[in-house]
Amino acid sequence: MTTVLWILIFISTFCIMEFMAWFTHKYIMHGFLWKLHKDHHHKDHGSWWERNDYFFLFYALVSISCFIGWSYYGFWAGLPIGLGIFAYGVTYFFVHDIFIHQRFKMFRNANNWYARGIRRAHKIHHKHLGKDKGECFGMLFPPLKYFKK
């Protein structure tokens, strides 16, 4: 396949993953799997690990399945799709777990307009401690109102 098509599939997959993260967060994490996500809103444990961290396994398995499809079954689009999912997962980890929640003490001094907007949107999301009445379920592209002063 052509390189341009491969790159378009990779970028499209990465962008679709933002929608998937929003959908999963709003309807699954704050829905029927709230029991796994609840400890992310209520720190009722002393562990660094949260039950919420299990959600990454689902997308990791989807990504791995795409790599297997590409490698063993000739599904050529499996590679750019798998890499797009993987790239989004790495980005999500850096933005959400490291930058916002400071699970590793890095990027503490980032204070540009995008960093402030992402932090504001996530803070608004976490002000609702229950599974209902939440807002801002996405990660990388929150509504523009969070970027205004």
Side-chain angles (χ1 to χ4, degrees), residues 134-147:
E135 56 184 293
C136 273
F137 293 96
M139 176 54 54
L140 300 177
F141 308 115
L144 291 176
K145 68 182 182 179
Y146 297 106
F147 294 101

Side-chain angles (χ1 to χ4, degrees), residues 24 36 43-44 47 52 60 71 84 110 116:
T24 303
L36 289 178
K43 299 294 181 195
D44 60 354
S47 174
N52 181 66
S71 182
R116 287 190 304 272

Side-chain angles (χ1 to χ4, degrees), residues 40 91-108 114-123 126 138-140 142:
H40 183 63
T91 304
Y92 188 95
F93 177 74
F94 273 97
V95 171
H96 182 262
D97 291 327
I98 296 177
F99 174 67
I100 293 173
H101 287 290
Q102 289 291 302
R103 287 176 97 174
F104 299 99
K105 306 304 180 203
M106 299 167 61
F107 309 118
R108 287 179 153 184
Y114 182 73
R116 287 190 304 272
I118 293 291
R119 280 193 195 114
R120 269 190 217 116
H122 204 73
K123 187 173 186 174
H126 276 270
M139 176 54 54
L140 300 177

